[in-house]
């Protein structure tokens, strides 16, 4: 990047980035800076927000440029890989058959196929803890649902080709749903409220309905403790 | 002490400071949609300027008082009545047990703020008490207030207020038309030359889809060049995005943290409190300024507010 790539609004700056690794290094450098009120990444860009009473846009551009040119090396790839339990019970996977048909697989083969894939978190956004995942294997783009759902339950795992997502709260949504995890994607009472973080490696491990209920009950009791 | 909700109105929530420093986790700002009005209300009852207050939207609302206290109303409401008797807005008003506080509907503007001395004790999430409705977090069980809800007020507060009213020059004037200053956004060039001109030459009307997440900007469609689709990128309250259908929308305090439509403009921080007072049918005229001018305007605005409010920041 160069300073010319930075776009300045009155209290935030943004800059395009080449890839996730570059983004991760840039975030690490920017996070160490207390003058940024927010450091947010997109899929191929980063933005920082500042208080215009404290810093002028020009001062902010100088600081941001310096940090983007000298990214922190220490934290690259430091996220621990995570295995997310997922239940493919038909009730939790309303689009399993639709997906299987699109992929030319049987419903059972779809489970084996999906749980064999590996993903990387590209960013959190849309809702607190909502994770966008990039599949590391090539998958045909099967598109969004023709009609979005009014309510997709928290924990639902969506997939539209090599892009995937995990819903952190009940919300409307148009991603075909392949299964559901009992894990809480966002819990403001945890030290790290979000379960996932950008650049983290993710894979899914199939669990049955009973295991789902056990983990869910445990999560809920921790919640009320 | 408590305030009991008798009539909640359309959308009444507990709101104060925005959530800060959590956008990378997907956590929106939330907080008072009109940060200036909430600061003015808190000032009148001796609270910190960003203390949690009751944010009332368009409709009228009623509360009953559990214990003697001091309240103040600012924002869009057309009246404040205690036990049916008109009382002044922008003024600290003593209330006693059993009193009914009636906050009038908005005839201009959109949101009113009722501050209570001693501060509201709301649910704290990530070190903040504002309500984020999208994930049902904070405030009063993460939701809008309902009839019968009892809002707790911290006990043992030592209410200190001079009893003075907001100076008339600092009272925001509620209007159905606003001039709002913007800087151009990163994808401004996605707009056609003609659309770039229209963004500043024509007015926009707020559509029916208007809430804490965002407001539809209607009546002036903006054409775009056919370019490659952009990838989801960071957005902030006050960002104006323009989807391919040409009807831009202005993001509010509850806006999600990233968005995939061109970010054509950004409302400057000094004017962002006005977004909280836009309502369906309001007219908006945008004026383009540079980021450097915006900084100057923001600092001058704070300087004008400081003699009355003390150290203040807007969001």
């Amino acid at each position: 990047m160069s300073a010319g790539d930075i776009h300045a609004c009155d209290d935030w700056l943004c800059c395009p980035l080449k890839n996730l690794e570059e983004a991760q290094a840039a975030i690490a450098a920017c996070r160490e800076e207390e003058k940024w009120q927010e450091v947010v990444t997109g899929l191929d860009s980063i933005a920082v927000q500042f208080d215009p009473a404290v810093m002028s846009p020009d001062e902010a551009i100088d600081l941001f440029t310096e940090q983007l040119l000298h990214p922190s090396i220490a934290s690259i790839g430091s996220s621990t890989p995570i295995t997310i339990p997922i239940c493919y019970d038909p009730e939790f996977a309303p689009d399993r058959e639709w997906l299987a048909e699109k992929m030319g697989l049987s419903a059972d083969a779809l489970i084996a196929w999906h749980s064999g894939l590996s993903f990387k978190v590209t960013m959190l956004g849309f809702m607190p803890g909502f994770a966008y995942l990039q599949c590391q294997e090539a998958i045909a783009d099967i598109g969004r649902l023709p009609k979005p759902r009014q309510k997709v339950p928290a924990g639902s795992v969506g997939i539209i080709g090599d892009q995937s997502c995990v819903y952190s709260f009940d919300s409307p949504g148009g991603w075909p749903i392949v299964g559901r995890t009992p894990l809480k994607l966002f819990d403001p009472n945890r030290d790290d409220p979000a379960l996932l973080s950008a650049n983290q490696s993710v894979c899914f491990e199939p669990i049955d309905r009973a295991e789902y209920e056990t983990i869910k009950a445990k999560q809920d009791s921790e919640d009320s403790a | 002490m408590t305030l009991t909700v008798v009539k909640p109105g359309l959308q009444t929530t507990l709101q104060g400071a925005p959530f800060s420093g959590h956008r990378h986790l997907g956590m929106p700002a939330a907080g008072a949609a009109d940060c200036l009005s909430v600061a003015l209300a808190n000032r009148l009852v001796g609270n910190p300027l960003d203390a949690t207050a009751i944010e009332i939207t368009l409709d009228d609302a009623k509360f009953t008082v559990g214990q003697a206290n001091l309240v103040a109303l600012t924002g869009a409401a057309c009246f404040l009545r205690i036990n049916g008797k008109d009382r002044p807005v922008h003024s600290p008003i003593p209330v006693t047990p059993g009193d009914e506080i009636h906050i009038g509907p908005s005839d201009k503007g959109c949101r009113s703020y009722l501050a209570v001395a001693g501060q509201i004790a709301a649910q704290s999430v990530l070190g903040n008490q504002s309500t984020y409705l999208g994930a049902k977090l904070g405030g009063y069980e993460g939701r809008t207030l309902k009839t019968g809800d009892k809002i707790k007020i911290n006990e043992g507060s030592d209410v200190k207020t001079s009893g003075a009213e907001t100076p008339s020059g600092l009272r925001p004037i509620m209007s159905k038309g606003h001039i709002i200053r913007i800087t151009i956004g990163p994808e401004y060039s996605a707009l056609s030359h003609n659309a770039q001109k229209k963004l500043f030459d024509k007015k926009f009307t707020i559509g029916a889809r208007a809430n804490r997440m965002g407001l539809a900007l209607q009546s002036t469609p903006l054409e775009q060049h056919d370019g490659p689709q952009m990838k989801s990128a960071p957005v902030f309250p006050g960002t104006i995005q323009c989807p391919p259908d040409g009807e831009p929308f202005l993001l509010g305090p509850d806006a999600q943290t990233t968005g995939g439509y061109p970010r054509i403009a950004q409302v400057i921080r000094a004017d962002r409190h006005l977004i909280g007072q836009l309502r369906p049918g309001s007219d908006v005229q945008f004026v383009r300024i540079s980021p450097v001018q915006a900084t100057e305007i923001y600092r001058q605005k704070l300087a004008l507010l400081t003699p009355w409010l003390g150290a203040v920041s807007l969001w």
Side-chain angles (χ1 to χ4, degrees), chain A residues 7 11 31 37-38 43 129, chain B residues 21 24-25 184 232 269 299:
Chain A
H7 180 88
D11 72 344
R31 285 229 167 281
Q37 297 180 319
E38 304 283 354
L43 289 174
Chain B
H24 63 294
L25 306 179
I184 60 168
S232 281
R269 193 184 284 220
R299 290 177 180 181

Side-chain angles (χ1 to χ4, degrees), chain A residues 141-157:
Chain A
D141 189 350
I142 43 171
R144 284 173 187 264
L145 293 176
K147 203 177 170 176
R149 287 195 170 85
Q150 282 300 305
K151 185 183 162 183
V152 178
S156 293
V157 177

Side-chain angles (χ1 to χ4, degrees), chain A residues 12, chain B residues 23 182-183 185-188 190-191 199 204 209 213-218 220 222 224 230-252 255-267 286:
Chain A
W12 58 273
Chain B
R23 287 188 86 77
I182 60 179
T183 62
E187 287 79 43
Y188 173 70
L191 295 177
L199 178 57
F204 292 84
R209 216 208 75 200
M213 284 185 74
L215 304 108
L217 297 171
Q218 295 180 335
T220 302
L222 300 178
Q224 292 178 39
M230 64 175 281
K231 290 188 172 175
S232 281
V235 292
F236 296 88
T239 302
I240 301 172
Q241 290 185 275
C242 191
D245 71 4
E247 186 178 289
F249 54 91
L250 167 57
L251 297 180
Q256 58 195 61
T257 54
T258 54
Y261 294 122
R263 300 163 293 178
I264 58 170
Q266 173 69 37
V267 173
F286 294 115

Side-chain angles (χ1 to χ4, degrees), chain A residues 30-108:
Chain A
C30 293
R31 285 229 167 281
E32 289 164 16
E33 176 56 63
E34 287 181 358
K35 284 182 180 151
W36 303 137
Q37 297 180 319
E38 304 283 354
V39 179
V40 195
T41 47
L43 289 174
D44 60 358
S45 62
I46 180 171
V48 289
Q49 192 175 37
F50 58 93
D51 182 349
V54 174
M55 234 188 322
S56 74
D58 288 343
E59 288 163 342
I61 289 170
D62 287 347
L63 186 62
F64 194 37
T65 306
E66 176 68 17
Q67 288 165 350
L68 291 175
L69 290 174
H70 300 98
S72 172
I73 299 157
S75 63
I76 296 174
S78 65
S79 292
T80 321
I82 185 170
T83 302
I84 296 179
I86 180 172
C87 179
Y88 297 97
D89 188 284
E91 193 199 325
F92 295 161
D95 304 311
R96 209 174 95 184
E97 287 188 17
W98 185 82
L99 275 164
E101 196 182 315
K102 287 248 179 193
M103 302 298 299
L105 296 167
S106 71
D108 285 340

Side-chain angles (χ1 to χ4, degrees), chain B residues 60-113:
Chain B
D60 69 329
K62 288 179 185 171
F63 304 88
T64 50
V65 175
Q67 211 170 325
N69 207 317
L70 201 60
V71 299
L73 184 73
T74 63
C78 63
F79 64 75
L80 168 65
R81 288 180 190 142
I82 309 288
N83 301 327
K85 194 170 166 241
D86 277 318
R87 304 304 309 271
V89 298
H90 278 288
S91 180
I93 307 287
V95 289
T96 53
D99 280 357
E100 184 183 76
I101 303 171
H102 186 188
I103 291 150
S106 319
D107 53 0
K108 295 170 192 159
C110 186
R111 292 182 177 85
S112 304
Y113 294 87

